Amino acid sequence: MTAAKDISLSRDAVADPDVREANARADKAPAADPAEKASLARKPAHTQAAGRSTAHESARAQVAGAATYVDDIPEVRGTLHAAPILSTVAHGKLLGVDITAALAMPGVRDVILARDIPGDAVLGNFSHDEPVFAQDTVQHIGQVIGVVVADTVMQARAAARKVVCKIEPLPAVLTVQDALKAQSYVLPPVFVKRGDAAAALKKAAHTLHGTLEVGGQEHFYLEGQVAYVVPQEQQQWLVYSSTQHPGEIQHWVSHALGIANHAVRVECRRMGGGFGGKETQSGQMAVWAAIAAHKLKCAVKLRMDRDDDFMVTGKRHPFAYEYDVGFDNTGLLTGLKITMAVNCGFSADLSGPVADRAVFHADNAYFLEDVEIASYRCKTNMQSNTAFRGFGGPQGMIVIEAIMGDIARTLGLDALDVRKRNLYGIGERDVTHYQMKVEDNILDPLLSKLERTAQYRSRREAISAWNEGSPVIKRGIALTPVKFGISFTATLFNQAGALVHVYTDGSVQVNHGGTEMGQGLNTKVAQIVADELGVPFAQVLATASDTSKVPNASATAASAGTDLNARAAQYAARNVRDNLAQFVAGLDRCGAGAVRFVCGDNGGEVITPEGTRPFTEVVKLAYANRIQLWSDGFYRTPKIHYDKTTLTGRPFYYFAYGAACTEVAIDTLTGESRVLKVDILHDVGTSINPAIDIGQIEGGFIQGMGWLTTEQLVWNDKGLLTTHAPSTYKIPATGDVPEHFKVDLWPEPNREDNVFGSKAVGEPPLMLAISVYEAMRDAVGSVVPPGECVVLEAPATAEHVLRSVGSHSLPT
């Protein structure tokens, strides 16, 4: 989720009553008339495409190596290749750039620097704080100073390393602690308060003070960052980009070239993974390639080397926390103060909304009555951190889950009982600290069901017995919940458009503003469109994201890709269906509501009281009678509003819920660990595609497990990222997946009017992996004196586990 730019227009703030009325009308989604509802109710369930585990639309092509990614697109004659010139200093004055040696290298055509930018030398993002190329100063090791352009990619990369940059070092800020001391921020601090936390802490029966540090995470998409820019006629440009946000690429490229948006067309058929890392930061690659293409008047491709990708691009934001919590004898939280220090890197990027979402999710599943949260958006001389699956939600949730674990250990209670004691209620204790009422709460029944099905209580007893008899290998277990808000917190991004074309042979093409990154968005959209028209799934083709088809599309992020784009596509298909229904009703002299579109054994059928026609025949007849067979669709998320100045309102349309029960083992002599068992119960509403949803849950959990166990980013005291390749940065492999890995879906539709009754599934499962971290702390707790809290830095690498065991171990 990923959410997008730190921009929010509160609709409550609109003064014009006519505009407010128009907004209110627009929030009411098009409703089916009674006849249409009856028609849909009569439609046999087995004919539906949605609700089935249909294979991913690109699966066969992908396993056959026939799916096209940006680097697979045939290159036009004369294409050149670019490679970045990187700063080797974390902070310094850029005194000069000597390109003599690079220009003498074989195949080199030119070196592109800031002086070659025809438009604005600052990227066209909302904060306007990041240069296209470094000019007077460099602000992190790996900042791009320019690009070398050569006949081949290897020639360009070799020559880039021959460029000599004269840099005078300046003091660098490399930790959030140093940033806090220097008051070095990319954005002003934010404070959210409800009740009187200070007074509540004073009168609390028990209090705890604690700190926690949680590291970042490299996206490690299989397909690296890549852009291919091809000049077109009359100063127009075609950009192929591996991006989650083609519209932003269009804006950034036109901004850098000093031309209008309409002169830039951006296309993305698919990405080989994104995870938030291609929401904004794919834009730099496209801009650099476009500037080179503009100067040299030819096509230019920029494909990042994996090591350079690590050095240049931002990561998940590392967080440091300090907290004071008050609670009673039952574990009920009575007062809380949290300070969050966010390592944003050298520019704002998406740090504002990421930090905001962390504040929003500092409650996770728990009611916080008297609470103060301070969020500091720290500027450091590191890569500019960016969106990553969960978009601040994981960093908000992990601190409150750690606090729940600390309370349980202090009181000698089971951590699950403390968690259940603090859950949001129904009809009471049901308003968040940002003033949104939790209307769809299923937390207690969901946790209770997983507690039973995962046999949590009996396993807890068995683990205690194991630990009594095992001096070296210790086990731990934790069951943790997730409550994740779905919508962009920047209200204006909660909109989508789509086009549906029905051709005269009855085949259907759908195009929408979302992007496919392996998550199955195009598959789900095609399933929804197939059902709306009553045709087989195989008859619908979803095509590449293209800014010349659907303009101004939001990023595919915030877990809202299906919610927004499938609904827009459904409305477009519905418009075509209504055109056909009116036409057929005229032929058969019946009401349009009596016309049904059903996928039968022989394909699409159009049924009226007078008889049945094949869908293909109806389409041909409609075309012959000049009936419109294509339409657009537009959707805007209803109900949401959000005041950026106070961080209050209803930023989310609904919540997605889930819980995971995880069992782990640690070796107290080496710090090594293994995840033994995982049981998940997750809420996806009525699933559009259960196989894809379960795949997202499994993948999200494993990615979250990597964040909290093995994926450690290490910078040295000069600001150099030393873990910049697979040799030094470990993502989970197949051997890390537990043999017992069980995923069940919660059997209830979305209580809000969402497409097919579904819920978002992209990001929420990642936070289920917090159960791994808490189970690791539980295992360490078996060697800790009773009542003492477990301090374990995340990720819980072998080194960190061993350090935690050593600092807490009971005396022999």
Side-chain angles (χ1 to χ4, degrees):
M1 162 155 162
T2 75
K5 293 180 180 176
D6 188 14
I7 303 172
S8 180
L9 304 178
S10 173
R11 301 173 64 200
D12 287 348
V14 176
D16 189 332
D18 292 331
V19 175
R20 285 203 304 269
E21 183 179 335
N23 280 335
R25 287 198 303 270
D27 272 349
K28 297 177 180 178
D33 60 34
E36 180 183 50
K37 288 181 179 178
S39 171
L40 292 173
R42 290 193 299 271
K43 187 176 180 181
H46 70 273
T47 65
Q48 289 186 326
R52 289 184 170 188
S53 291
T54 302
H56 190 288
E57 49 89 21
S58 294
R60 290 182 181 273
Q62 285 169 323
V63 299
T68 300
Y69 296 85
V70 171
D71 202 34
D72 299 320
I73 295 170
E75 296 170 3
V76 301
R77 182 182 301 171
T79 293
L80 299 178
H81 298 265
I85 303 161
L86 308 183
S87 169
T88 56
V89 176
H91 188 207
K93 292 181 181 179
L94 181 59
L95 303 178
V97 181
D98 185 351
I99 62 175
T100 307
L103 288 173
M105 294 283 287
V108 172
R109 298 299 186 93
D110 206 345
V111 176
I112 310 298
L113 301 170
R115 66 193 178 204
D116 299 309
I117 302 169
D120 193 343
V122 180
L123 289 172
N125 56 20
F126 80 96
S127 56
H128 209 244
D129 66 345
E130 185 174 342
V132 173
F133 294 126
Q135 298 182 58
D136 300 324
T137 62
V138 293
Q139 299 191 67
H140 74 93
I141 294 176
Q143 184 173 4
V144 175
I145 295 169
V147 295
V148 173
V149 184
D151 292 337
T152 70
V153 64
M154 298 311 293
Q155 288 173 334
R157 289 174 182 174
R161 284 155 176 76
K162 295 293 185 180
V163 175
V164 178
C165 299
K166 186 178 180 181
I167 302 171
E168 179 185 316
L170 295 172
V173 177
L174 300 178
T175 68
V176 292
Q177 290 78 13
D178 289 341
L180 290 170
K181 289 176 185 176
Q183 296 188 347
S184 173
Y185 307 127
V186 297
L187 294 166
V190 168
F191 305 95
V192 174
K193 177 180 179 180
R194 176 165 69 176
D196 190 338
L201 286 167
K202 281 183 180 180
K203 64 182 182 181
H206 305 275
T207 59
L208 281 175
H209 175 81
T211 61
L212 174 65
E213 291 202 18
V214 177
Q217 187 177 20
E218 166 63 31
H219 300 88
F220 218 105
Y221 20 66
L222 290 181
E223 175 202 31
Q225 297 278 8
V226 58
Y228 182 33
V229 178
V230 183
Q232 307 290 288
E233 65 169 61
Q234 302 182 64
Q235 292 301 305
Q236 297 173 49
W237 301 86
L238 172 59
V239 180
Y240 297 102
S241 175
S242 180
T243 180
Q244 294 173 239
H245 200 175
E248 188 157 69
I249 300 288
Q250 179 190 42
H251 172 63
W252 283 21
V253 168
S254 63
H255 187 78
L257 297 184
I259 58 178
N261 285 357
H262 68 205
V264 179
R265 175 186 160 213
V266 181
E267 181 180 309
C268 177
R269 173 59 183 92
R270 62 174 59 84
M271 288 164 274
F275 309 119
K278 297 177 180 177
E279 184 173 341
T280 60
Q281 299 205 356
S282 54
Q284 285 92 325
M285 320 302 150
V287 167
W288 298 332
I291 293 168
H294 179 272
K295 183 179 181 184
L296 298 174
K297 296 180 171 50
C298 66
V300 173
K301 180 188 286 187
L302 196 161
R303 174 169 57 85
M304 295 290 280
D305 174 83
R306 178 68 69 177
D307 291 83
D308 288 348
D309 200 325
F310 263 85
M311 299 302 293
V312 171
T313 61
K315 326 296 176 192
R316 184 187 296 281
H317 290 70
F319 272 56
Y321 313 85
E322 187 171 355
Y323 56 86
D324 292 282
V325 59
F327 49 97
D328 67 16
N329 291 330
T330 69
L332 181 68
L333 193 150
T334 57
L336 179 63
K337 282 187 177 182
I338 301 177
T339 297
M340 300 180 177
V342 187
N343 189 335
C344 302
F346 81 97
S347 69
D349 194 81
L350 294 174
S351 295
V354 166
D356 287 352
R357 187 170 275 264
V359 171
F360 288 139
H361 287 80
D363 60 341
N364 190 15
Y366 312 114
F367 178 72
L368 307 178
E369 188 164 12
D370 292 289
V371 59
E372 288 182 22
I373 303 172
S375 174
Y376 294 92
R377 292 91 197 271
C378 299
K379 179 176 181 177
T380 59
N381 293 115
M382 294 178 173
Q383 293 85 349
S384 185
N385 290 317
T386 190
F388 198 125
R389 196 177 195 171
F391 202 83
Q395 295 98 314
M397 289 183 190
I398 193 169
V399 65
I400 194 66
E401 291 301 335
I403 288 169
M404 292 295 162
D406 288 348
I407 292 172
R409 282 203 58 80
T410 300
L411 296 175
L413 300 175
D414 188 286
L416 178 58
D417 293 330
V418 172
R419 289 185 166 96
K420 293 178 77 171
R421 179 76 176 90
N422 285 281
L423 291 176
Y424 276 102
I426 297 175
E428 59 178 2
R429 294 168 49 84
D430 60 355
V431 178
T432 68
H433 55 293
Y434 49 91
Q435 304 305 314
M436 177 175 172
K437 187 170 183 179
V438 181
E439 299 173 337
D440 54 2
N441 185 358
I442 57 172
L443 285 163
D444 187 67
L446 189 147
L447 261 69
S448 296
K449 181 175 181 180
L450 183 61
E451 178 185 351
R452 293 192 304 273
T453 58
Q455 300 178 317
Y456 174 82
R457 300 293 175 180
S458 60
R459 287 168 63 188
R460 164 65 72 192
E461 292 178 3
I463 287 169
S464 296
W466 167 278
N467 288 339
E468 285 289 329
S470 176
V472 176
I473 305 299
K474 301 293 185 180
R475 292 187 176 184
I477 190 170
L479 196 162
T480 61
V482 166
K483 175 185 70 66
F484 189 79
I486 303 298
S487 290
F488 288 97
T489 52
T491 307
L492 75 167
F493 292 116
N494 293 286
Q495 57 176 299
L499 296 172
V500 168
H501 299 169
V502 177
Y503 294 95
T504 53
D505 64 351
S507 63
V508 181
Q509 185 184 97
V510 56
N511 187 272
H512 57 87
T515 53
E516 176 64 51
M517 62 194 91
Q519 84 280 37
L521 173 60
N522 283 346
T523 307
K524 288 185 174 183
V525 170
Q527 287 177 280
I528 294 297
V529 169
D531 282 346
E532 199 66 29
L533 295 174
V535 299
F537 171 78
Q539 207 163 314
V540 181
L541 174 67
T543 58
S545 304
D546 188 332
T547 56
S548 68
K549 292 185 177 180
V550 177
N552 313 316
S554 300
T556 304
S559 298
T562 299
D563 289 7
L564 295 173
N565 295 288
R567 187 64 114 184
Q570 183 181 44
Y571 289 169
R574 185 172 297 174
N575 291 337
V576 176
R577 189 192 70 188
D578 288 347
N579 292 344
L580 292 173
Q582 290 285 351
F583 170 64
V584 173
L587 295 178
D588 287 3
R589 301 181 185 279
C590 64
V595 180
R596 295 190 292 136
F597 292 76
V598 173
C599 182
D601 293 337
N602 298 314
E605 298 176 342
V606 181
I607 302 171
T608 74
E610 299 299 313
T612 299
R613 296 179 178 87
F615 179 82
T616 53
E617 179 185 316
V618 169
V619 168
K620 289 176 182 176
L621 284 171
Y623 174 75
N625 284 273
R626 298 178 295 174
I627 303 300
Q628 182 176 331
L629 296 175
W630 63 271
S631 183
D632 65 315
F634 180 78
Y635 175 69
R636 57 189 287 179
T637 308
K639 295 187 178 182
I640 54 175
H641 58 90
Y642 162 50
D643 186 337
K644 171 64 182 169
T645 59
T646 61
L647 259 68
T648 59
R650 179 174 178 158
F652 308 121
Y653 186 31
Y654 62 86
F655 293 102
Y657 299 92
C661 180
T662 297
E663 183 178 339
V664 304
I666 65 169
D667 186 324
T668 58
L669 297 182
T670 66
E672 293 174 285
S673 65
R674 178 169 292 279
V675 177
L676 303 176
K677 292 183 179 181
V678 175
D679 293 270
I680 292 172
L681 180 57
H682 197 71
D683 166 36
V684 299
T686 301
S687 177
I688 296 173
N689 190 311
I692 284 177
D693 286 347
I694 290 172
Q696 285 290 292
I697 294 166
E698 292 172 341
F701 182 91
I702 295 300
Q703 191 170 51
M705 183 179 81
W707 169 51
L708 293 172
T709 57
T710 63
E711 297 187 44
Q712 185 177 20
L713 293 163
V714 179
W715 285 263
N716 68 15
D717 59 1
K718 302 296 184 184
L720 173 68
L721 178 63
T722 59
T723 50
H724 54 79
S727 58
T728 50
Y729 184 83
K730 187 185 184 304
I731 63 172
T734 53
D736 297 306
V737 178
E739 288 187 22
H740 179 98
F741 194 11
K742 184 171 181 284
V743 177
D744 290 317
L745 302 181
W746 180 256
E748 182 183 345
N750 193 334
R751 296 181 189 178
E752 294 292 349
D753 180 21
N754 205 46
V755 62
F756 198 67
S758 67
K759 284 191 175 185
V761 71
E763 292 170 297
L766 185 137
M767 285 144 281
L768 296 169
I770 293 173
S771 61
V772 176
Y773 174 75
E774 283 299 288
M776 300 268 282
R777 291 213 308 155
D778 185 58
V780 174
S782 66
V783 300
V784 171
E788 185 176 313
C789 297
V790 173
V791 177
L792 177 61
E793 186 177 343
T797 61
E799 181 181 6
H800 290 159
V801 170
L802 193 59
R803 184 181 302 154
S804 181
V805 169
S807 65
H808 289 296
S809 293
L810 287 161
T812 57

